[in-house]
Amino acid sequence: MVELSSDPEHAALIAQAIAPQCLALMCDVNGNHVIQRCLQKMDSSHQQFIYQTAFAHCLQIAKHRHGCCVLQRCLDHANAEQRAQLCVLVLSRARELMQDPFGNYVVQYVLEMKEPQYVHTIIQHIRGHLWQLSMQKFFTLADESDLRLLLHELLEGSRDADAGPLRIGSEQHQRNLRPLLFDPYANYVVQRALSLANTPEFEALREAIEPHLTELRGTPFGKRIQARLSRPGART
């Protein structure tokens, strides 16, 4: 029906009929496909009930198995104003969503828009919680100043770490980095850090990792970390 309703009057009747149950449909194993089809086929005037529901229940929808997919499609089909409003709502609860098995996909989707202001806002949510949040995309999309702050936090173990010169060979760096190196998920963050770090941060990371290499060789991911250490040269 949605696909074949080219008549605006018919589309309006369908929208009117399903609008009262929009939230339930968004989070239903079958109903979510109806909402997604409305986003694909209806014009913006008839989609407004979907966006009103998304604005009012953004967190609930983002944290739902099916709702998170609908919210991503909302971002795809939104006009500039709708997309900005949805992104602001997602960003306002970014750290909570990052730690949710479904909400994290919505945060990643916003990141993949590669809008500098969104990336910067999400990185501010990460700072001080970097050890708990092992999402590689933050490193990939960070600009140079934000990347430096995140790398300093990895080594110094504190949000308050500034981006000044790092102490190469610091025993504190070795202690701080050890739990991440041997964690089955956080080691990927270290690998990504090694891939993207500029020369000073790369050297500090290498000095902090090398004392653990013998022990790391016995782990499934030790070889990958060692390979990152032997890259031809750090980014300059």
Side-chain angles (χ1 to χ4, degrees), residues 2 9-10 16 26-27 52-53 77 82 84-86 164 187 207-208 224:
V2 173
E9 184 178 351
H10 293 168
Q16 182 181 1
M26 283 180 161
C27 299
Q52 288 172 344
T53 303
H77 295 283
Q82 291 167 334
Q85 188 170 345
L86 273 179
N187 78 87
E207 290 289 333
R224 291 194 291 271

Side-chain angles (χ1 to χ4, degrees), residues 7-219:
D7 188 320
E9 184 178 351
H10 293 168
L13 286 171
I14 293 171
Q16 182 181 1
I18 64 178
Q21 299 299 323
C22 185
L23 178 60
L25 290 170
M26 283 180 161
C27 299
D28 182 78
V29 63
N30 299 311
N32 81 89
H33 296 291
V34 176
I35 299 300
Q36 291 189 52
R37 193 54 52 92
C38 290
L39 288 166
Q40 293 167 358
K41 297 295 182 179
M42 288 182 173
D43 62 39
S44 57
S45 63
H46 297 130
Q47 295 174 353
Q48 189 56 33
F49 73 95
I50 300 174
Y51 286 97
Q52 288 172 344
T53 303
F55 298 151
H57 304 281
C58 183
L59 188 66
Q60 179 181 346
I61 297 166
K63 294 171 75 171
H64 190 275
R65 177 186 299 272
H66 305 301
C68 70
C69 298
V70 177
L71 206 56
Q72 290 173 60
R73 299 293 79 75
C74 285
L75 289 166
D76 286 341
H77 295 283
N79 60 37
E81 183 179 349
Q82 291 167 334
R83 184 175 295 110
Q85 188 170 345
L86 273 179
C87 286
V88 167
L89 289 168
V90 170
L91 293 173
S92 70
R93 305 296 290 271
R95 186 150 56 89
E96 181 179 350
L97 290 172
M98 288 176 207
Q99 299 173 82
D100 183 83
F102 305 113
N104 81 88
Y105 291 113
V106 179
V107 178
Q108 290 184 51
Y109 208 74
V110 173
L111 275 173
E112 287 165 2
M113 295 178 184
K114 299 184 180 180
E115 291 288 342
Q117 70 271 28
Y118 297 157
V119 176
H120 179 74
T121 299
I122 292 173
I123 286 172
Q124 296 312 302
H125 284 281
I126 295 173
R127 291 196 63 206
H129 307 277
L130 192 53
W131 286 25
Q132 294 79 31
L133 301 170
S134 55
M135 297 181 70
Q136 301 179 65
K137 292 178 183 290
F138 297 113
F139 284 117
T140 305
L141 298 174
D143 65 23
E144 186 173 339
S145 61
D146 282 331
L147 176 61
R148 186 177 296 113
L149 287 170
L150 292 177
L151 293 175
H152 282 229
E153 183 178 329
L154 274 183
L155 289 162
E156 301 289 351
S158 169
R159 176 191 172 94
D160 297 327
D162 61 28
L166 282 166
R167 298 163 291 146
I168 304 298
S170 164
E171 292 184 4
Q172 184 65 45
H173 292 172
Q174 295 174 23
R175 290 192 294 270
N176 288 341
L177 214 56
R178 180 183 171 83
L180 301 180
L181 288 169
F182 291 93
D183 184 89
Y185 302 110
N187 78 87
Y188 290 106
V189 174
V190 178
Q191 291 182 48
R192 179 61 67 181
L194 286 167
S195 297
L196 298 177
N198 291 312
T199 300
E201 287 78 21
F202 177 82
E203 291 301 324
L205 285 165
R206 182 167 63 184
E207 290 289 333
I209 293 168
E210 283 183 340
H212 306 295
L213 282 178
T214 300
E215 194 175 352
L216 275 169
R217 290 190 185 102
T219 68

